[in-house]
């Protein structure tokens, strides 16, 4: 029915007859895609850790590698030091030193042979090379034991320093992305939120790995220092005891080969 027909009321909001209609198109209806609002959108998997990992940005991959290496080293060192605790044999060490005090070097060598205790291995090496160079043999054996005990400590030290630096790198890259997107008003809020979130997640992960690796690193370093002290103490005791025995033998040999005074020379003529 044409407008203005009798009995019909005009529709509310409809333009009056003869009025010009101006068409306005929204950005969504114009056919052009909206700016990259999905710049900081990450795929949600439902898993908390995977989602946070994706939100942390590309720096999370080297951080993940550092965490795997740190965990592997810590587990390996825990098992190694646990095995060394069961390999300790302080009673046999006392028997070895008792045998040396009794001038029974062969028995001391037999007791220290095929032992898994690092102190006994060092003593056995020194006893079997004392005629060549006792001090040199002890130093070489002690160095080997300390190197075994301090294995992977350099790796742990590097990881303790590297993890927070990677977290700081994630902080910088996240803030850079946030500030570079501030020129676009439509995605400014999403950009700032995503960039700051990426920075905080990377920093938290880096610091967490560093804290996790720092505690066992200091513990293992103290254990290496204690082992070094035990080896030095045992080596010094062994050197002193063997030197004392060798000195006593030299004195006995000197007395045995000393020229005896003839009995005829004892009397004096008047």
């Amino acid at each position: 029915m044409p407008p203005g027909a009798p009995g019909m009321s005009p529709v509310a909001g409809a333009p009056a007859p003869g009025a010009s209609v101006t068409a306005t198109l929204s950005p969504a209806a114009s056919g052009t895609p909206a700016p990259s609002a999905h710049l900081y959108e990450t795929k949600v998997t439902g898993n908390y850790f995977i989602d946070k990992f994706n939100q942390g940005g590309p720096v999370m991959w080297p951080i993940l590698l550092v965490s795997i290496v740190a965990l592997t080293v810590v587990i390996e060192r825990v098992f190694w030091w646990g095995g060394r605790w069961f390999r300790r044999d302080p009673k046999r060490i006392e028997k070895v030193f008792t045998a040396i005090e009794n001038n029974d070097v062969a028995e001391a060598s037999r007791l220290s042979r095929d032992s898994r205790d690092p102190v006994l291995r060092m003593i056995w090496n020194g006893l079997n090379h004392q005629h060549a160079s006792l001090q040199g043999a002890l130093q070489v054996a002690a160095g080997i034991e300390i190197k075994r005990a301090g294995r992977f400590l350099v790796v742990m030290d590097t990881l303790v320093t590297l993890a927070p630096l990677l977290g700081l790198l994630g902080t910088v890259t996240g803030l850079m992305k946030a500030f570079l997107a501030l020129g676009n008003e439509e995605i400014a809020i999403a950009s700032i939120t995503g960039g700051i979130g990426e920075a905080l997640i990377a920093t938290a992960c880096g610091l967490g790995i560093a804290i996790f690796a720092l505690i066992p690193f200091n513990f293992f370093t103290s254990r290496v220092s204690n082992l070094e002290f035990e080896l030095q103490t045992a080596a010094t005791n062994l050197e002193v005891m063997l030197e004392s025995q060798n000195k006593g033998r030299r004195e006995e040999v000197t007395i045995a080969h000393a020229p005896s005074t003839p009995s005829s020379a004892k009397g004096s003529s008047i």
Side-chain angles (χ1 to χ4, degrees):
M1 183 176 293
M8 297 296 297
S9 59
V11 181
S20 61
V21 179
T22 304
T24 58
L25 299 177
S26 63
S30 62
T32 58
S36 53
H38 61 280
L39 182 62
Y40 282 94
E41 293 180 358
T42 56
K43 184 178 179 180
V44 179
T45 61
N47 189 303
Y48 177 81
F49 297 100
I50 296 179
D51 292 340
K52 293 301 179 183
F53 181 86
N54 294 330
Q55 294 173 7
V59 184
M60 294 298 295
W61 288 103
I63 290 178
L64 176 63
L65 178 61
V66 168
S67 64
I68 293 174
V69 175
L71 182 61
T72 304
V73 172
V74 169
I75 293 176
E76 191 275 339
R77 288 289 86 190
V78 167
F79 277 99
W80 191 91
W81 282 103
R84 183 192 173 274
W85 178 264
F86 291 104
R87 291 193 299 266
R88 295 188 61 185
D89 198 352
K91 294 183 179 180
R92 185 183 293 189
I93 295 176
E94 294 180 1
K95 293 179 181 179
V96 169
F97 284 117
T98 302
I100 295 175
E101 289 179 355
N102 297 331
N103 250 343
D104 194 353
V105 179
E107 177 65 15
S109 178
R110 186 191 66 81
L111 289 172
S112 59
R113 184 186 306 149
D114 299 331
S115 176
R116 301 180 63 188
D117 192 308
V119 177
L120 288 173
R121 283 200 296 257
M122 182 197 66
I123 293 175
W124 181 85
N125 195 50
L127 292 176
N128 286 270
H129 297 86
Q130 60 175 323
H131 300 292
S133 177
L134 174 62
Q135 186 176 6
L138 292 175
Q139 288 179 354
V140 170
I144 294 174
E145 299 298 336
I146 293 174
K147 186 176 181 181
R148 288 176 181 172
R151 186 171 54 178
F152 299 131
L153 286 183
V154 176
V155 177
M156 294 187 65
D157 190 12
T158 304
L159 296 180
V160 169
T161 307
L162 181 61
L165 292 180
L166 289 175
L168 181 60
L169 179 61
T171 302
V172 174
T173 55
L175 293 179
M176 286 177 60
K177 291 180 182 179
F179 283 105
L180 287 176
L182 286 179
N184 195 332
E185 297 180 356
E186 296 184 6
I187 62 171
I189 297 178
S191 301
I192 295 175
T193 304
I196 294 178
E198 177 180 333
L200 294 178
I201 292 173
T203 304
C205 292
L207 291 176
I209 295 171
I211 294 172
F212 167 77
L214 179 62
I215 297 175
F217 170 73
N218 289 335
F219 174 76
F220 295 145
T221 303
S222 65
R223 299 309 304 168
V224 172
S225 300
N226 292 339
L227 177 60
E228 185 177 0
F229 175 76
E230 292 179 8
L231 293 172
Q232 290 179 352
T233 303
T236 303
N237 291 336
L238 183 63
E239 290 179 1
V240 170
M241 295 172 68
L242 292 179
E243 181 64 25
S244 176
Q245 292 181 5
N246 294 333
K247 185 177 180 180
R249 293 194 191 98
R250 287 194 297 266
E251 291 178 353
E252 292 177 359
V253 171
T254 303
I255 295 174
H257 290 80
S260 57
T261 305
S263 56
S264 57
K266 293 182 180 179
S268 58
S269 58
I270 301 177

